[in-house]
Amino acid sequence: MLTFLVRRAISIFAILLLVSFAAYWLFYNAPGGPLQLIAELQQSGRNQLDAGAVDRIKLRYDLDLYHGVRYMRWLTGFPSGPIVIGGQQMFSGTPIGCLKEAPSGKKVILQYADGTRIESNCLRPTYLQDLMNPNRRLSKGALRLDFGVSQLIARERPVMELIETRLAPTLLLMGIANLLAIIIAVPIGILSAVKQYSRFDYIVTTVTFFGSAMPTLFLGIMGILFFSLFLRDAGLPFLPPQLAESNRDAVVPLLGEITAGSLGDHIWHLVLPVSVLTFVSLTGWSRFVRSSMLEVLKQDYVRTARAKGLRESMVILKHAFRNSMIPFVTLLVGVLPSLFAGAIVTESIFSWPGLGRLYVQALGGDYTVAMAILLISTFLTLISFLLADVLYTVVDPRIRLS
Amino acid sequence: MASSTVQPRASRASDARPNMKTESQTALVWRRFRKHRLAVISMVLLTLIFLLSLFAPLVAPFKIDHLDPTYKFVPFMTVYKPTGQVYIFGSDQLGRDLLTRLLYGARVTLSVAVLVASLSCAVGALIGAVAGYYRGIIDTALMRVLDFTSGIPDLPVLLILASILLTDPKLLPLPDFVTRIFEALLLVREREARSVVVIVLVLTILGWTGVARLTRGMVLAVREADYVTASRSLGMGDTSLILRHIMPNVLAPIIVAFTQSLAGAFAAETALSFLGFGVQEPAATWGNMMSIAQNNIFENRVMPLVVGLPILICSLAFNFIGDGLRDALDPRLKM
């Protein structure tokens, strides 16, 4: 068990490193980001930017450094200046980036302090000692959960702070939706398996099949159309089409006035997105519970339990249900990563101020934020797989980890 | 049905008498598939949509670049005065005909689905079969890759790849003729053709692993079967053994996986272009039309329905066909 855990921990770490490196490389080469914003501002000519603005931005976000160095600094916060060994500064003159590139095709001659001359296509190289510049941001590194500062969405705000503000709405939405889905799906699945081929089973299989085939996109927009717009047109109590709280007080037929920002307002806004998400997970899960319950009901030990003369409710709850829950564990643990970024489409449809939507916004050019969300959700996915494996041994002692 | 002279009992090989006409595998599957009424209806509907979108330039009431803001959000069956053409399903915020755009959009959306499903099934089945048959280092490598890809969250990675590869053409240089083909096939401009290719590639990269895992598992079981051993002892080579004896026996689940990945790729493409990471306006796809519909939902309540229904119909149809095929190909797989 211990060797298993250690091996998995190492592999999780390796995968995270690989993902972070690949994503960092993609973002490093991607257009957009703060420099493009400045270029657009300069082109539009409305804003007067002094000549140093570009340099300052480059320094601020480490944009002048070479990819490898920048990645190292982002990941670990190292190097933050010349390497000190025994009180002596080493490598302070090593070039690690380029603040200003030479016009394309031209070479410039650089002269080092010790007199050596080299040809380079960089006008102003950045040396290791330049990392001491107070304009640069000191980062503890992504490994210690310091993902730097946001570059576009909320300028200069630490990424972790931004994520924290968006975490609560996502957790609330996904938490309630998943909880409701489990509470409803499990009994429905069991009942329709126990009463296989009954009218109830027929209805459940039909509805869940349609439900699981229905795209979230369609369901969400139809939800807005019917429950916010058509109901409002008809003068009935309606649900808000978007956001997590109202900007101003709203008057709803039958429900009365809803004060913006009150508890009632929050609940009112939760209903529609939660229903959509619940329905989507509900349909898949109840199908799953039904089929795994049907599988178990065919087993010999269920027949034995019946032959012993146990009450049917006892047979189902004690002997069949508990065993049918074993495969369900994996499904449940799969919820964990979706708590974080699983609701990207739903959050976008309902303009829900959560992490999924933050991620979509961040991909528009705020790459530090996108990196952080990607890495955290990858981490959660990997951890949830590990958790599923460990939980398997708990619910089913026949399984051993090796 | 009436034309079928096949007797049901003949399908059971055990009691087929020598002179009795036996049913071929294909006929058997087709007979079982026909029983699944919803699957047959779905098949007909999808074929219809495919054909309509294939002949979009001929059947569409308007030219694809037609727009007239004075005719914005007109209701069903409005006549366009200057030419006498009819907005059958109404128009969008720029006075573009919805039916025309739906038909042209179907070319993009459905081609992406079909291409992604075919490519990922072909690649996945090939790699899975080779790994399962030869074992050894290929198998180990495949398993590592599968471990890796199962650990990364799909949608976030998909969005990153799509957003970056689409914004910067230099990161993923495509051969000219590929974009040409797509330009001609989808009747879109070069930029959009490139987007389609990128999306197909990205979805395939994320999609082949499931099929590879499935095929590998099946091949592992089949390669030990007696008939494989028999063929090998008769001197059959590896390639023909895999193609003639192993693949036909693992084909059923792969076909089912194909229909599932059709549905998956369809949903992914609509979601991507809805979120603004797919094919961009003014080229029409069902996803970006849905996004327009949502942005104007307060002004116009018909467009979400007009665009939403085809999305619903196709997505249900893919699933029904998958279900019908699964039951027809291998009744044991029935849920």
Side-chain angles (χ1 to χ4, degrees):
Chain A
M1 182 75 172
L2 190 68
T3 34
F4 171 81
L5 284 180
V6 170
R7 227 175 44 216
R8 282 295 282 271
I10 294 172
S11 106
I12 286 178
F13 189 71
I15 293 178
L16 277 178
L17 271 189
L18 210 59
V19 168
S20 74
F21 187 79
Y24 205 85
W25 182 82
L26 272 177
F27 288 137
Y28 181 83
N29 286 296
L35 279 183
Q36 180 153 335
L37 193 74
I38 289 216
E40 278 164 17
L41 282 177
Q42 274 172 337
Q43 260 179 9
S44 69
R46 269 179 291 133
N47 291 53
Q48 294 298 313
L49 292 165
D50 60 291
V54 174
D55 290 356
R56 276 206 305 279
I57 291 281
K58 277 191 172 176
L59 282 184
R60 181 74 194 158
Y61 300 120
D62 276 359
L63 296 177
D64 54 334
L65 302 185
Y66 295 140
H67 179 220
V69 184
R70 203 173 135 199
Y71 175 68
M72 271 294 281
R73 264 173 70 83
W74 171 82
L75 190 70
T76 61
F78 173 86
S80 54
I83 297 154
V84 180
I85 300 174
Q88 207 173 0
Q89 292 191 347
M90 311 274 282
F91 306 112
S92 55
T94 314
I96 51 165
C98 181
L99 192 58
K100 195 166 195 174
E101 278 172 25
S104 56
K106 281 187 187 157
K107 298 260 181 196
V108 285
I109 307 290
L110 288 174
Q111 187 168 10
Y112 281 116
D114 60 2
T116 44
R117 286 158 161 270
I118 54 154
E119 205 175 78
S120 142
N121 41 15
C122 184
L123 268 181
R124 272 170 57 200
T126 312
Y127 300 107
L128 201 54
Q129 63 196 11
D130 296 336
L131 291 180
M132 310 273 274
N133 192 321
N135 278 334
R136 285 185 194 275
R137 185 176 176 277
L138 271 179
S139 164
K140 287 203 289 273
L143 286 180
R144 284 194 276 171
L145 289 181
D146 181 353
F147 287 98
V149 291
S150 159
Q151 298 170 350
L152 283 178
I153 296 173
R155 288 293 281 281
E156 294 300 310
R157 200 108 170 258
V159 172
M160 279 318 270
E161 224 178 275
L162 197 60
I163 288 182
E164 271 160 32
T165 58
R166 298 296 195 98
L167 190 60
T170 295
L171 282 184
L172 196 66
L173 181 68
M174 297 303 283
I176 296 178
N178 283 308
L179 201 67
L180 276 178
I182 293 170
I183 293 174
I184 302 172
V186 172
I188 283 185
I190 289 174
L191 213 60
S192 81
V194 171
K195 301 191 171 177
Q196 198 186 6
Y197 303 130
S198 68
R199 179 167 295 168
F200 176 77
D201 180 39
Y202 184 72
I203 294 172
V204 167
T205 31
T206 315
V207 169
T208 53
F209 184 80
F210 272 92
S212 58
M214 223 177 258
T216 321
L217 186 62
F218 175 80
L219 215 56
I221 292 181
M222 290 305 126
I224 293 178
L225 193 63
F226 284 92
F227 294 104
S228 338
L229 299 177
F230 286 164
L231 283 186
R232 180 155 58 186
D233 294 350
L236 293 166
F238 60 92
L239 293 166
Q242 54 189 9
L243 297 176
E245 57 180 345
S246 315
N247 295 326
R248 59 179 98 86
D249 298 355
V251 183
V252 182
L254 298 178
L255 294 180
E257 191 173 313
I258 293 177
T259 325
S262 66
L263 180 69
D265 186 38
H266 284 284
I267 296 174
W268 188 49
H269 277 83
L270 268 170
V271 177
L272 200 49
V274 162
S275 316
V276 168
L277 276 171
T278 308
F279 185 71
V280 170
S281 359
L282 170 80
T283 51
W285 290 357
S286 57
R287 271 156 74 91
F288 190 87
V289 172
R290 176 177 178 273
S291 66
S292 86
M293 190 72 182
L294 280 177
E295 193 66 34
V296 170
L297 282 175
K298 272 189 280 183
Q299 300 291 320
D300 286 340
Y301 55 78
V302 173
R303 197 183 312 142
T304 312
R306 286 209 180 103
K308 280 196 303 189
L310 281 183
R311 269 179 293 121
E312 188 62 17
S313 59
M314 202 65 159
V315 174
I316 286 163
L317 287 180
K318 256 202 124 152
H319 292 260
F321 171 63
R322 288 182 56 177
N323 282 299
S324 77
M325 281 298 100
I326 292 174
F328 198 59
V329 164
T330 26
L331 216 65
L332 272 192
V333 177
V335 166
L336 198 66
S338 81
L339 282 180
F340 202 70
I344 292 177
V345 174
T346 319
E347 286 188 2
S348 299
I349 294 172
F350 293 104
S351 307
W352 190 259
L355 281 169
R357 200 157 150 264
L358 179 66
Y359 185 69
V360 172
Q361 286 175 316
L363 286 176
D366 202 338
Y367 297 140
T368 44
V369 179
M371 268 310 276
I373 299 181
L374 174 73
L375 276 191
I376 296 177
S377 66
T378 311
F379 178 71
L380 283 179
T381 314
L382 291 166
I383 286 291
S384 68
F385 278 140
L386 180 63
L387 203 63
D389 286 348
V390 173
L391 273 180
Y392 258 136
T393 61
V394 176
V395 290
D396 189 349
R398 285 170 304 178
I399 297 173
R400 294 251 187 284
L401 296 176
S402 58
Chain B
M1 284 268 187
S3 65
S4 148
T5 53
V6 181
Q7 291 173 9
R9 283 187 51 182
S11 66
R12 278 149 61 186
S14 55
D15 53 4
R17 268 163 285 154
N19 285 337
M20 192 178 259
K21 211 169 141 192
T22 44
E23 208 172 359
S24 75
Q25 176 73 15
T26 329
L28 178 71
V29 166
W30 175 234
R31 190 164 55 81
R32 288 212 212 103
F33 183 75
R34 266 189 327 208
K35 276 196 208 138
H36 203 302
R37 194 154 302 151
L38 280 171
V40 177
I41 297 175
S42 305
M43 196 78 131
V44 173
L45 266 178
L46 271 185
T47 317
L48 196 72
I49 294 176
F50 260 112
L51 285 178
L52 279 177
S53 70
L54 189 65
F55 296 109
L58 297 177
V59 290
F62 283 86
K63 283 222 164 62
I64 183 63
D65 48 7
H66 163 85
L67 64 93
D68 187 347
T70 49
Y71 277 78
K72 83 173 198 182
F73 294 132
V74 293
F76 285 2
M77 303 309 283
T78 308
V79 179
Y80 182 62
K81 290 264 167 54
T83 56
Q85 287 155 308
V86 183
Y87 287 107
I88 298 177
F89 286 163
S91 68
D92 67 4
Q93 88 285 16
L94 294 174
R96 297 178 291 192
D97 179 43
L98 284 184
L99 179 62
T100 307
R101 283 175 66 75
L102 276 176
L103 288 175
Y104 278 87
R107 287 174 89 98
V108 176
T109 306
L110 294 179
S111 323
V112 169
V114 170
L115 277 173
V116 169
S118 325
L119 276 177
S120 45
C121 280
V123 173
L126 185 72
I127 297 182
V130 169
Y133 184 78
Y134 290 105
R135 308 298 309 272
I137 191 158
I138 306 174
D139 196 30
T140 320
L142 175 71
M143 290 318 282
R144 286 289 150 275
V145 173
L146 290 184
D147 283 348
F148 177 68
T149 47
S150 67
I152 54 176
D154 281 354
L155 194 55
V157 172
L158 177 64
L159 289 182
I160 284 196
L161 287 176
S163 72
I164 291 179
L165 295 179
L166 286 179
T167 43
D168 192 1
K170 283 195 298 291
L171 277 177
L172 185 74
L174 294 171
D176 237 12
F177 74 94
V178 177
T179 33
R180 284 280 159 65
I181 293 174
F182 277 87
E183 266 180 82
L185 191 72
L186 305 177
L187 306 175
V188 290
R189 267 174 280 170
E190 194 197 335
R191 207 185 119 80
E192 281 82 41
R194 216 193 88 82
S195 309
V196 171
V197 181
V198 169
I199 289 167
V200 168
L201 286 180
V202 169
L203 285 175
T204 308
I205 289 169
L206 292 177
W208 68 274
T209 51
V211 186
R213 191 190 294 273
L214 181 83
T215 315
R216 175 185 172 271
M218 300 289 296
V219 170
L220 275 182
V222 169
R223 74 195 282 270
E224 306 298 338
D226 286 341
Y227 59 84
V228 174
T229 320
S231 313
R232 194 181 292 132
S233 61
L234 286 173
M236 204 171 202
D238 282 347
T239 318
S240 43
L241 199 61
I242 292 179
L243 292 180
R244 299 262 314 145
H245 290 292
I246 293 184
M247 284 323 268
N249 283 291
V250 301
L251 203 58
I254 295 180
I255 292 177
V256 176
F258 174 78
T259 55
Q260 280 163 356
S261 67
L262 267 182
F266 175 79
E269 198 280 329
T270 33
L272 263 186
S273 45
F274 175 78
L275 293 174
F277 293 102
V279 177
Q280 307 282 331
E281 277 277 290
T285 71
W286 291 2
N288 69 27
M289 289 177 75
M290 201 62 181
S291 144
I292 295 178
Q294 200 205 354
N295 291 339
N296 296 295
I297 201 166
F298 291 101
E299 253 185 280
N300 184 286
R301 272 134 219 222
V302 186
M303 190 174 166
L305 285 170
V306 172
V307 183
L309 278 178
I311 294 182
L312 178 70
I313 289 170
C314 280
S315 157
L316 286 177
F318 285 134
N319 280 280
F320 281 134
I321 293 176
D323 231 37
L325 271 179
R326 190 186 58 211
D327 295 353
L329 285 166
D330 192 352
R332 281 171 306 169
L333 293 172
K334 198 166 186 168
M335 253 179 94

